[in-house]
Amino acid sequence: MYGLDIARCLGMHNNKRFLRDRVKEVPGLTFSLNYPHTEFSTGRALRTSPIFPKLQLAGAQFGQVMGYERPMFFKLKKPQSLDLGLLGLDAQEEAASSQGETLKLPIAKTETFYRPPWFQAAAEEFQATREAVSLCDYSSFAKMDLWSGGREVVDFMQNLCSN
């Protein structure tokens, strides 16, 4: 029932353009296959981080969480074959990649119950992070307004960020 709790709704969920677009998409999902990591195509890019344009240029494929566009993975510069032709997934990957190019916002689509088309990209991101360093954009996570009359907030943040 948590998914239906009205307290989970935000102001964007009462936006007429968002509702008009999303209402056109949702009824068609009733009898469709529900793949893991499903993403809506409508009501996108309502809340973005300051580095959103740079993420787009870097090849980010986005997922939406409470209206925020988050990079789910980055498209490979040189796609490598996952040797999944026997399962018919190579054709799905090609279709998903060509579909992503026609959309204004590249959406992270899975549309399979097998190894997802972004598996190799995620593996390479993991390896790059393990061997070097990576930058994570957490601007869509919780935000707190901290204030004090003295240095308490500065001391708190120094302690929090250094751990």
Side-chain angles (χ1 to χ4, degrees):
M1 291 301 289
Y2 179 71
L4 301 174
D5 186 4
I6 195 72
R8 294 187 65 232
C9 294
L10 300 173
M12 64 167 229
H13 295 121
N14 199 24
N15 176 311
K16 289 185 186 209
R17 191 177 107 218
F18 171 82
L19 290 171
R20 181 195 66 222
D21 293 344
R22 186 61 60 90
V23 162
K24 291 177 186 174
E25 181 178 10
V26 171
L29 301 175
T30 304
F31 298 107
S32 68
L33 287 176
N34 292 315
Y35 295 109
H37 313 292
T38 303
E39 291 288 339
F40 288 107
S41 298
T42 58
R44 302 305 297 251
L46 297 173
R47 302 167 87 188
T48 59
S49 73
I51 63 170
F52 178 74
K54 291 184 180 190
L55 294 170
Q56 274 186 306
L57 289 174
Q61 304 295 297
F62 292 94
Q64 188 182 65
V65 179
M66 289 304 282
Y68 274 106
E69 294 295 338
R70 286 192 200 161
M72 304 310 278
F73 66 93
F74 289 83
K75 207 163 190 116
L76 293 172
K77 302 285 187 239
K78 287 182 1 185
Q80 299 174 359
S81 173
L82 296 175
D83 197 22
L84 297 173
L86 293 175
L87 299 175
L89 296 179
D90 289 338
Q92 286 181 357
E93 187 173 345
E94 288 176 26
S97 66
S98 65
Q99 181 182 7
E101 292 169 2
T102 61
L103 297 170
K104 290 181 184 176
L105 180 69
I107 298 173
K109 298 243 180 205
T110 300
E111 297 180 347
T112 182
F113 292 108
Y114 299 101
R115 185 179 286 187
W118 44 262
F119 185 83
Q120 185 65 33
E124 290 187 16
E125 287 176 33
F126 167 79
Q127 195 66 30
T129 301
R130 183 177 176 160
E131 294 173 359
V133 69
S134 64
L135 175 68
C136 297
D137 178 15
Y138 289 136
S139 58
S140 64
F141 287 80
K143 296 179 178 43
M144 294 172 248
D145 189 14
L146 304 174
W147 56 275
S148 70
R151 289 191 38 90
E152 294 86 4
V153 170
V154 174
D155 294 338
F156 172 74
M157 292 304 293
Q158 288 293 346
N159 185 36
L160 179 70
C161 294
S162 63
N163 286 324

